[in-house]
Amino acid sequence: MRLTNYTDYSLRVLIYLALKKPGELANITEIAESYRISRNHLTKVIHELGKMGFIHTIRGRGGGIKLALPPEEINIGEIVRKTEDDFNIVECFSQGSAHCVISPVCGLKHVLNRALSAYLAVLDEYTLADIVKSPFDYRSLLGMEK
């Protein structure tokens, strides 16, 4: 299973924001520079995270981005479910496009479905707070310590 860049960047943005002091705002440019990724890619990610209710975006001079919820209330499994397009690991997971000739009798679909469920169940066990337990180490690597 491979997560899309969109989900990866969404998780990175949330991690970055969780490392900020309470009430402190971030901006797209600083996040992009810290992770060495495209500012343009992050613009859509941040917009969508705002629509999903994970972050607040404040427009205008002195504006920025911050978490909408405490890190303890942001579940990793929920983020992954909301940011991934689909979980069609194999063709037969997709509705109406099963061209595989063994699809009617294949037991692999059941096995992969169980594996996907287990994968998501593990992600559901963790919050953003669990991920950023060593904030100093993160801040140092991201160049946030000044």
Side-chain angles (χ1 to χ4, degrees):
M1 170 105 206
R2 180 183 171 117
L3 297 176
T4 60
N5 283 342
Y6 181 81
T7 299
D8 178 20
Y9 292 171
S10 295
L11 291 165
R12 290 191 210 191
V13 165
L14 294 169
I15 288 169
Y16 190 92
L17 296 176
L19 298 170
K20 296 297 250 181
K21 295 178 179 107
E24 186 179 10
L25 300 175
N27 64 57
I28 295 173
T29 301
E30 76 182 74
I31 297 170
E33 288 175 357
S34 291
Y35 284 118
R36 298 178 189 98
I37 56 180
S38 165
R39 185 183 189 287
N40 292 337
H41 284 87
L42 288 183
T43 301
K44 181 179 179 186
V45 166
I46 288 169
H47 176 73
E48 292 297 321
L49 287 173
K51 285 178 26 180
M52 290 177 203
F54 291 117
I55 64 172
H56 283 303
T57 56
I58 297 110
R59 294 182 160 267
R61 190 178 188 102
I65 310 153
K66 66 179 182 175
L67 291 177
L69 303 164
E72 299 80 18
E73 294 180 24
I74 299 177
N75 182 272
I76 301 302
E78 181 183 2
I79 296 163
V80 170
R81 281 182 185 84
K82 287 185 175 181
T83 57
E84 280 296 306
D85 289 336
D86 63 58
F87 291 98
N88 296 337
I89 299 172
V90 290
E91 175 189 305
C92 57
F93 273 40
S94 181
Q95 293 291 333
S97 67
H99 299 290
C100 179
V101 296
I102 64 171
S103 210
V105 296
C106 184
L108 183 59
K109 182 176 182 176
H110 174 70
V111 172
L112 292 175
N113 193 41
R114 282 193 60 213
L116 175 60
S117 295
Y119 174 78
L120 292 170
V122 169
L123 294 177
D124 287 338
E125 294 176 15
Y126 296 92
T127 67
L128 190 55
D130 296 321
I131 305 303
V132 294
K133 284 191 175 187
S134 302
F136 178 79
D137 295 337
Y138 280 93
R139 288 185 191 115
S140 177
L141 290 169
L142 291 168
M144 296 171 78
E145 293 296 320
K146 294 175 184 172

